[in-house]
Amino acid sequence: MESDTEQMRAVKEALHVSTAPSTVVCRENEQRRVLEFCKACVEQEKAGNLYICGCPGTGKSLSMEKAKHLLVDWAKEVGHQQPDVLSINCTSLAKTSDIFSKILGEAQPRKKVNGSTTSALQQLQNLYSQKPRSSAMKMMLIIADELDYLITKDRAVLHDLFLLTTLPFSRCILIGIANAIDLADRFLPRLQSLNCKPMVVTFRAYDKDQILTILQERLLALPYLVFQPQALELCARKVAAASGDMRKALCVCRSAIELLEAELRKSSRNFNLSTVEKALFEQQTTAADILRKQEIDVVRLDHMVVALSKTYRTPIVDTIQSLPQHQQIVLCSAAKLFHGGKKDTTVEELNRSYMDFCKSTLIPPVGSMELSTICRVLNDQGLLKVGQSRDDKSKRVTLRVDEADIAFALQGIRFFRKCFRQFCSKHIDS
Amino acid sequence: MGREKAAKEALNLLRGRLCDPTFVFKPLSDSPESNYSKLKFIISSSVTEACNNSILLLGPRGSGKIAVLELVLKDLFLEYPDMISVIRLSGLLHSDDNCAFKEIARQLCVEHDLLFSKMASFDDNSQFMIAMLRECGLAHKTVIFVLDEFDLFAQGKQRLLYSLLDAMQSITSQAVVIGVSCRLDADQLLEKRVRSRFSHRKLMFLPPSKEDLQRLLGHILSLPLDSTLPRDYAVEFNAKLQNMLADEKFKQTIYTYMDSDATVNHLLRFLFRAVSYMDLGSGFLALENFKTALPNIQRQPKLECITEYKSIHDTFQTSDYYARNVCLRAFEHLQQRELISFTDNRGHNQSVEFRPVKLLISSYELQKGLKSYRSCPVILLKLMDREA
């Protein structure tokens, strides 16, 4: 059992999001493009800008980390001056214009910060507009992650940042990373007129084969089989169909392993309880043991199915089913009110609908005070949305969940079946 | 010990228990499938395996999320002393990023005996947090962030959430982020960047099942046999309690109460009232205590004013003549207590008598109110029954 837990730990570590893989697979193309761009800039000692876009979890930051090191190593190898590297995550900036102070700090590390009236931006602009005194000024690679945090109302900061690379003596290689594909078009129109629109490298969402390859690569280092191949394939297929987000895939796999661990613990508890005496006399490797190791110690398809459903299914149906009866009745009457295409209603109408429902099903209704408490509780849970109003009765109410979800959740309960039978017939007619 | 004295002591013990959430949630936490065990497993495996994790605790208000979390943390502190430190933030107080980082820095300083400077800027505070996370990671200490009212942190630019979750993407830190919220769609409120970094683990705190409810009631209301209470009294009390718990009428009372709000907190409030009605003379809990508590919680303020309604009704139906101003006064009282209201909001030109009026409470409530009003004249009751 000792080695089992060690194995599990190693597997979970290999699949953890924070474990950077030794090689970045499935991003060779993108990485090559970025690297070539940077190399060209360093060789020609020219400034340039590049924009990397893609959904979350597509390997952008990871690839840039690798590219950074590769560039520096290459420069050393070939004999060029190694560029300075500045990585900034724009969410950590208190003010958007702080980015210029950081760049200035990197460009002129020895120069003391003077409390002069010129801002960091102006100093940088001055620096890059004049011919440098020493001819060997280093190139600076600036990687700005989560670039959209720099977008201000007047978009000045973003423009000025990119315009820095257009100045005659600029030494910046600027790489911006964000999620929006059209950030450059929408927020940097002026650059086009200056003919220096950034090159765009898109990191597309991973497809099924790519996710599978990446997972297998991570598990390659382990000498034993952890996942049944079908389980991995199912995971890759589902995640690719949903979002192509690699973090999700890793999360689902870890979840599946935890399910396997829980199963092993339960079975070992039973095993120990029933065969304590046997174990004292028999050898360690009985047939049962061997069988157990072969069959049980892999993550199977059923583990993966449960892990996927836990990640992708919303708990809404479960929650609605476990609500107390009166709260369900309120939800049901709300669904009925909105069935005809109405978008919102008032607490008073909801009250009436609720009373009608109770009357038709011969259930004593709760008082109006309790009804408003129920509405508040449902609002807190995110099922209803109750607006503000001075008068309790005229607060506006909208549904936050889909009618179909409510119908699906409650149709199994006999009490609500009559209500939803009318629903379904209406749906078919319309 | 006299019977009454023992009863008083028992009453105090029960009332004390009902106010202590750690006691109440213990029996719900014993099975391996319970939320307590799952939460404990996740956090302890993060601590032992030195990896990062994030999880959301979701459920309606009063279902015991913070109570269970505190139980888990208390047990973990005993199991892994010096390997855990806890930072608590609340969405009500710290939803502004500046405030949040300042508070994190302050709590970290307190934990590690450093001097906290109020003058530190936002930048300083966030750098400090990242540096401390790295230090704790190296020292194999796990930092647990508890974010209460998690949905309030998801307003605005979600910078705090992003920074926390991003810091957990690096291998140098060892942190667990626990979000507690009553909004079931709390993770849908997250921006896609933040959601991608969140591990999608959710623990739902659903209302207890009927079996759990029975077990809970037994656990809370049974007297301990090895305390200062006389043993035979406690044994008899528990036997009577078990009989009552198995009684169908009792179960019906409890279930009707829980029909509008099934959270544990709601139940505790009801139990507190019921227990307070315990007859100190006999010293035992009876079904009547619970039945009395039920209407008292549900519509306390309205019952007291039913007397006024009676006077109006009388003037219309019987030959009793009340003075006109008495009737008007009664009418005004009813309006103040919000049992009736005018259907039109126009001016007060017309005399009060001629304005249309509607009843604000339901006929069912009225019926129940009248039934529990002891000196209600029979004629009124007959009238209600006829109309119902």
Side-chain angles (χ1 to χ4, degrees):
Chain A
M1 282 315 290
E2 292 292 315
S3 62
D4 271 348
T5 41
E6 265 310 303
Q7 279 183 6
M8 289 299 168
R9 187 194 284 230
V11 173
K12 284 207 276 195
E13 199 176 313
L15 288 177
H16 201 277
V17 181
S18 58
T19 313
S22 44
T23 46
V24 178
V25 290
C26 298
R27 285 299 177 208
E28 290 88 357
N29 259 344
E30 290 85 353
Q31 216 170 349
R32 190 171 36 86
R33 283 179 71 192
V34 173
L35 208 53
E36 279 175 6
F37 172 82
C38 294
K39 282 183 190 172
C41 286
V42 172
E43 269 175 356
Q44 300 162 20
E45 294 201 348
K46 215 171 58 120
N49 49 24
L50 178 72
Y51 174 60
I52 294 183
C53 64
C55 293
T58 45
K60 302 183 295 294
S61 307
L62 193 65
S63 308
M64 282 320 300
E65 272 298 309
K66 282 280 162 354
K68 222 166 52 173
H69 295 299
L70 288 174
L71 184 69
V72 171
D73 290 340
W74 167 83
K76 188 155 65 169
E77 231 173 89
V78 179
H80 282 291
Q81 208 177 29
Q82 285 178 353
D84 287 328
V85 177
L86 176 64
S87 293
I88 309 177
N89 190 318
C90 300
T91 54
S92 62
L93 301 170
K95 272 193 337 269
T96 47
S97 46
D98 281 349
I99 190 169
F100 299 119
S101 337
K102 292 214 172 181
I103 301 178
L104 189 62
E106 187 73 22
Q108 297 182 317
R110 271 175 297 245
K111 188 159 178 197
K112 267 209 296 267
V113 173
N114 50 352
S116 64
T117 47
T118 48
S119 67
L121 173 60
Q122 281 173 318
Q123 288 185 40
L124 278 172
Q125 287 170 335
N126 290 342
L127 182 65
Y128 291 139
S129 314
Q130 310 157 353
K131 192 159 164 63
R133 265 170 289 156
S134 56
S135 56
M137 213 166 68
K138 285 208 268 186
M139 299 296 291
M140 176 159 42
L141 177 65
I142 307 173
I143 304 179
D145 212 341
E146 312 295 357
L147 198 64
D148 47 320
Y149 271 88
L150 288 182
I151 296 177
T152 49
K153 246 196 195 131
D154 57 354
R155 306 170 197 163
V157 176
L158 205 56
H159 266 114
D160 290 332
L161 181 65
F162 275 85
L163 284 176
L164 274 181
T165 57
T166 62
L167 296 171
F169 297 99
S170 174
R171 317 291 281 173
C172 304
I173 310 172
L174 176 65
I175 301 184
I177 308 179
N179 295 132
I181 289 189
D182 54 354
L183 194 97
D185 294 327
R186 271 198 297 150
F187 295 105
L188 303 168
R190 271 196 279 165
L191 293 183
Q192 179 148 31
S193 56
L194 288 165
N195 221 8
C196 60
K197 220 167 80 145
M199 180 168 111
V200 178
V201 176
T202 312
F203 277 61
R204 309 187 73 85
Y206 288 116
D207 65 18
K208 163 179 163 269
D209 296 319
Q210 288 175 321
I211 297 184
L212 196 53
T213 316
I214 297 176
L215 287 173
Q216 285 167 340
E217 178 77 26
R218 283 197 177 222
L219 296 170
L220 212 56
L222 304 165
Y224 35 80
L225 179 69
V226 189
F227 286 85
Q228 257 185 1
Q230 302 100 299
L232 271 187
E233 229 189 275
L234 177 66
C235 172
R237 199 163 8 109
K238 284 279 174 170
V239 175
S243 55
D245 181 343
M246 198 58 219
R247 289 193 186 106
K248 269 259 181 72
L250 292 172
C251 202
V252 169
C253 290
R254 292 191 78 220
S255 190
I257 293 186
E258 279 168 12
L259 287 170
L260 175 66
E261 274 187 317
E263 199 183 82
L264 286 177
R265 267 180 318 178
K266 208 192 306 188
S267 74
S268 83
R269 234 195 335 251
N270 298 339
F271 189 72
N272 287 338
L273 286 174
S274 62
T275 57
V276 154
E277 288 183 0
K278 258 175 114 182
L280 287 175
F281 298 113
E282 285 191 309
Q283 284 282 3
Q284 199 62 350
T285 52
T286 56
D289 264 331
I290 297 175
L291 198 65
R292 215 164 55 85
K293 272 216 170 306
Q294 278 174 349
E295 286 193 356
I296 299 187
D297 280 7
V298 266
V299 174
R300 299 185 306 273
L301 209 55
D302 50 305
H303 294 128
M304 193 56 83
V305 166
V306 174
L308 280 166
S309 76
K310 280 210 301 195
T311 308
Y312 280 111
R313 200 173 65 153
T314 55
I316 290 197
V317 168
D318 284 336
T319 328
I320 296 182
Q321 283 176 337
S322 64
L323 286 175
Q325 192 180 53
H326 281 280
Q327 293 185 9
Q328 286 175 335
I329 297 179
V330 171
L331 263 190
C332 194
S333 6
K336 252 185 155 169
L337 272 180
F338 294 122
H339 186 59
K342 233 158 86 117
K343 283 301 170 197
D344 66 1
T345 181
T346 59
V347 169
E348 203 175 331
E349 272 189 54
L350 185 62
N351 198 352
R352 242 177 282 159
S353 174
Y354 165 77
M355 295 286 203
D356 289 338
F357 194 103
C358 287
K359 221 179 285 181
S360 69
T361 49
L362 303 174
I363 294 242
V366 297
S368 60
M369 212 167 62
E370 279 194 58
L371 186 70
S372 57
T373 313
I374 291 182
C375 286
R376 191 172 41 84
V377 168
L378 289 175
N379 177 41
D380 277 346
Q381 292 190 51
L383 297 166
L384 279 185
K385 183 167 151 128
V386 180
Q388 298 286 4
S389 169
R390 261 187 329 161
D391 179 18
D392 218 18
K393 296 275 180 179
S394 55
K395 290 188 181 162
R396 305 215 71 84
V397 176
T398 34
L399 260 185
R400 267 208 184 112
V401 287
D402 214 15
E403 268 175 57
D405 282 336
I406 302 183
F408 181 71
L410 296 178
Q411 69 193 3
I413 304 179
R414 200 152 47 109
F415 179 76
F416 290 100
R417 208 169 283 166
K418 196 170 67 158
C419 163
F420 285 107
R421 214 173 294 146
Q422 302 166 344
F423 252 42
C424 295
S425 62
K426 276 206 184 128
H427 272 295
I428 295 173
D429 289 347
S430 63
Chain B
M1 201 191 272
R3 177 46 65 90
E4 197 159 315
K5 196 151 168 260
K8 273 213 184 99
E9 194 178 318
L11 188 59
N12 283 339
L13 177 75
L14 288 179
R15 287 206 275 221
R17 274 184 185 171
L18 286 169
C19 299
D20 178 16
T22 43
F23 182 85
V24 168
F25 284 99
K26 248 199 162 321
L28 290 177
S29 312
D30 279 336
S31 78
E33 293 304 316
S34 69
N35 281 333
Y36 167 87
S37 318
K38 289 188 197 162
L39 187 60
K40 186 153 178 222
F41 175 66
I42 292 177
I43 304 184
S44 58
S45 59
S46 304
V47 171
T48 48
E49 292 168 12
C51 65
N52 299 314
N53 245 326
S54 46
I55 184 169
L56 268 183
L57 304 181
L58 302 174
R61 287 195 198 278
S63 43
K65 307 182 289 289
I66 295 277
V68 170
L69 178 63
E70 293 295 337
L71 266 177
V72 170
L73 287 178
K74 195 166 74 159
D75 289 342
L76 285 178
F77 270 122
L78 292 173
E79 268 183 53
Y80 304 105
D82 293 336
M83 279 178 74
I84 304 182
S85 60
V86 179
I87 308 270
R88 289 169 217 272
L89 295 174
S90 166
L92 295 168
L93 302 168
H94 306 124
S95 59
D96 171 47
D97 296 319
N98 275 329
C99 257
F101 275 109
K102 202 178 225 172
E103 182 61 21
I104 294 178
R106 189 189 68 80
Q107 289 190 28
L108 281 171
C109 285
V110 167
E111 274 283 326
H112 299 267
D113 281 332
L114 300 167
L115 219 53
F116 172 67
S117 154
K118 286 199 193 141
M119 295 291 130
S121 70
F122 174 81
D123 221 4
D124 293 334
N125 283 333
S126 57
Q127 296 291 340
F128 176 66
M129 179 184 90
I130 297 183
M132 282 306 288
L133 278 176
R134 207 185 358 241
E135 284 299 315
C136 288
L138 289 173
H140 291 295
K141 204 167 178 190
T142 307
V143 182
I144 302 181
F145 290 91
V146 176
L147 300 175
D148 205 359
E149 312 290 348
F150 185 76
D151 45 300
L152 295 176
F153 282 108
Q155 294 167 348
K157 280 197 161 188
Q158 303 183 5
R159 274 215 289 196
L160 171 70
L161 290 177
Y162 180 88
S163 315
L164 270 184
L165 293 171
D166 199 42
M168 287 175 20
Q169 301 280 300
S170 81
I171 199 151
T172 50
S173 63
Q174 236 174 279
V176 179
V177 171
I178 305 178
V180 180
S181 174
C182 57
R183 279 212 42 178
L184 303 169
D185 57 344
D187 62 333
Q188 303 298 323
L189 299 170
L190 298 174
E191 234 195 32
K192 57 178 180 195
R193 277 183 283 228
V194 180
R195 195 161 2 131
S196 170
R197 287 165 168 81
F198 194 83
S199 84
H200 290 276
R201 282 208 178 86
K202 291 191 267 238
L203 272 187
M204 302 296 303
F205 281 74
L206 299 171
S209 65
K210 296 210 156 81
E211 297 80 34
D212 281 340
L213 209 55
Q214 290 287 103
R215 258 194 323 143
L216 185 67
L217 287 170
H219 169 80
I220 297 179
L221 299 173
S222 304
L223 292 177
L225 294 174
D226 54 355
S227 69
T228 53
L229 293 168
R231 193 189 161 84
D232 47 350
Y233 164 65
V235 166
E236 208 185 332
F237 183 95
N238 290 346
K240 281 203 158 58
L241 179 73
Q242 288 302 325
N243 279 341
M244 185 176 66
L245 289 179
D247 184 8
E248 272 312 310
K249 278 200 257 177
F250 175 79
K251 287 191 195 173
Q252 240 354 83
T253 317
I254 295 279
Y255 295 155
T256 26
Y257 180 70
M258 303 283 274
D259 253 350
S260 60
D261 183 345
T263 56
V264 178
N265 243 7
H266 202 229
L267 178 66
L268 291 181
R269 263 183 272 159
F270 172 63
L271 286 180
F272 192 90
R273 252 208 136 83
V275 158
S276 306
Y277 282 123
M278 179 169 95
D279 177 16
L280 290 174
S282 70
F284 298 123
L285 281 178
L287 186 54
E288 287 67 46
N289 303 136
F290 290 85
K291 284 203 161 158
T292 334
L294 191 62
N296 261 329
I297 281 209
Q298 280 179 337
R299 44 193 78 87
Q300 195 179 10
K302 311 274 191 181
L303 287 183
E304 292 154 9
C305 352
I306 297 292
T307 46
E308 318 284 339
Y309 186 81
K310 158 186 151 189
S311 25
I312 293 203
H313 231 134
D314 280 345
T315 59
F316 286 113
Q317 301 298 328
T318 70
S319 53
D320 287 330
Y321 262 99
Y322 278 78
R324 200 171 133 208
N325 44 0
V326 171
C327 177
L328 277 178
R329 221 179 333 125
F331 203 78
E332 270 168 28
H333 280 178
L334 275 180
Q335 192 195 341
Q336 274 173 358
R337 304 287 183 110
E338 290 192 7
L339 286 173
I340 57 175
S341 83
F342 293 115
T343 49
D344 56 355
N345 288 331
R346 272 177 289 146
H348 302 270
N349 310 340
Q350 295 173 308
S351 160
V352 170
E353 295 166 8
F354 297 108
R355 286 171 68 177
V357 157
K358 68 173 194 268
L359 192 58
L360 280 184
I361 55 178
S362 68
S363 61
Y364 176 70
E365 279 185 297
L366 189 59
Q367 224 176 349
K368 265 202 124 162
L370 285 176
K371 278 205 189 111
S372 59
Y373 179 53
R374 270 167 242 195
S375 51
C376 186
V378 175
I379 190 170
L380 258 184
L381 288 174
K382 274 204 256 178
L383 195 66
M384 275 309 311
D385 287 337
R386 189 155 37 100
E387 284 184 13

